[in-house]
Amino acid sequence: MNCRVMLKSVFRCLRTNPVAGHRSMSQSSLAGKVAIVTASTDGIGLAAAQALGKRGAHVVVSSRWQTNVDKAVALLQSQSIQVTGTTCNVGKGEDREKLVQMTLEKCGGIDILVSNAAVNPFFGNIMESTEEVWDKILSVNVKASFLMTKLVVPHMAKRGGGNVVFVSSVAGYQPMQALGPYSVSKTALLGLTRALAPELAQDNIRVNCVAPGVIKTRFSSALWQNEDIMDDFKRQLSIKRVGEPEEIGGVIAFLCSEEASYITGETITVTGGIGCRL
């Protein structure tokens, strides 16, 4: 077969089987799956719920405030996404249990947990941080992430497996100035991912993590609205702009899909090119 005939055969294959030339995540790749996304009424959490929902998952969104839940549910429903919403403060054990129980009652099971909830009540010199600050940050950002996982794992195992995705931060690799305790909590999530992955693999549950860079959300507005901070960040960036929540949501959806079936215990950094290494 000469080169010209070979090329014709290749192009004919691409026309009749476009997947061979362009592999994309199916819009129904998560059909039948149930996904809990914590802190999911705006920012990265909402973007994750949208990405999962657009791929067919029934998403369960939550926030501490009912008005935020109502707005998010209305938005997702307007996008033809199956959604259930409830209030939840993940720092409270009774709220975590209520979230899981409501999901089981209304959706019949749990396949995916995206642990996105985080707090940062402190901004300043780390040596000025108090015990109360550390207790609050570690309780919500780390301990609640583990305890939510512990609650959902038995229900994932009953359905033959599942996916857990923790949302860390570039600060977990390189602590940000004035965000010392928060940065430490995000480093802890990298370790939690590695610790859980081998234990949960036996139940066909994959555990991964996403570490976003500076993303244009309300939570990180103190960073991206500060020109001096952003000028310093942009010097480290290959892609010279702030990231968008949807760029994180898509990575989370990928990690929960069959396309990522051989990935566990990993952290994907989505930073615009900032070097990330512990």
Side-chain angles (χ1 to χ4, degrees):
M1 183 183 293
N2 64 36
C3 183
R4 191 172 182 179
V5 173
M6 186 182 297
L7 285 173
K8 284 184 178 179
S9 297
V10 170
F11 288 128
R12 189 181 307 114
C13 173
L14 293 178
R15 283 197 301 269
T16 58
N17 182 18
V19 174
H22 178 70
R23 186 178 180 183
S24 61
M25 204 183 305
S26 166
Q27 293 303 296
S28 61
S29 61
L30 297 176
K33 304 296 184 182
V34 177
I36 293 176
V37 186
T38 63
S40 44
T41 58
D42 69 354
I44 289 172
L46 179 59
Q50 288 174 309
L52 294 165
K54 287 176 181 177
R55 290 161 177 80
H58 185 135
V59 293
V60 179
V61 299
S62 63
S63 166
R64 287 179 296 171
W65 311 109
Q66 186 64 51
T67 52
N68 294 346
V69 172
D70 293 340
K71 288 178 183 177
V73 167
L75 173 64
L76 293 170
Q77 286 177 336
S78 74
Q79 298 172 349
S80 301
I81 290 172
Q82 298 179 78
V83 57
T84 300
T86 186
T87 55
C88 180
N89 179 345
V90 297
K92 296 181 177 180
E94 60 269 28
D95 276 22
R96 294 192 297 266
E97 291 175 5
K98 182 192 76 172
L99 174 61
V100 170
Q101 193 56 40
M102 185 217 68
T103 302
L104 295 172
E105 290 173 359
K106 294 199 173 184
C107 305
I110 301 168
D111 302 285
I112 294 166
L113 169 66
V114 178
S115 183
N116 175 62
V119 296
N120 180 47
F122 177 80
F123 191 87
N125 188 316
I126 190 171
M127 293 303 295
E128 296 174 2
S129 59
T130 64
E131 183 175 359
E132 290 74 22
V133 163
W134 282 94
D135 285 346
K136 178 71 172 178
I137 289 176
L138 294 178
S139 178
V140 174
N141 298 10
V142 184
K143 186 172 76 172
S145 293
F146 169 71
L147 293 175
M148 271 300 300
T149 303
K150 192 172 182 179
L151 282 175
V152 302
V153 159
H155 303 291
M156 289 181 178
K158 287 179 184 177
R159 286 162 75 92
N163 284 280
V164 176
V165 178
F166 298 119
V167 179
S168 179
S169 168
V170 65
Y173 290 91
Q174 179 59 53
M176 292 184 180
Q177 187 177 4
L179 295 176
Y182 172 83
S183 299
V184 171
S185 76
K186 292 302 184 176
T187 304
L189 290 179
L190 309 182
L192 182 60
T193 301
R194 297 298 297 271
L196 286 171
E199 290 199 21
L200 299 187
Q202 61 191 349
D203 289 319
N204 195 32
I205 297 170
R206 296 187 293 106
V207 184
N208 290 294
C209 186
V210 174
V214 179
I215 306 300
K216 196 171 186 179
T217 66
R218 179 179 53 81
F219 186 82
S220 65
S221 60
L223 298 177
W224 56 264
Q225 289 181 346
N226 185 308
E227 289 187 12
D228 292 335
I229 290 176
M230 282 312 302
D231 285 344
D232 181 55
F233 258 107
K234 284 179 180 178
R235 281 193 288 271
Q236 304 175 57
L237 292 171
S238 299
I239 301 172
K240 305 291 185 181
R241 63 173 176 81
V242 175
E244 296 293 336
E246 294 76 15
E247 293 173 304
I248 310 302
V251 174
I252 292 171
F254 162 71
L255 286 172
C256 295
S257 73
E258 282 302 307
E259 282 87 345
S261 60
Y262 202 49
I263 300 175
T264 196
E266 298 293 343
T267 297
I268 296 183
T269 58
V270 191
T271 66
I274 295 176
C276 295
R277 187 175 180 180
L278 287 177

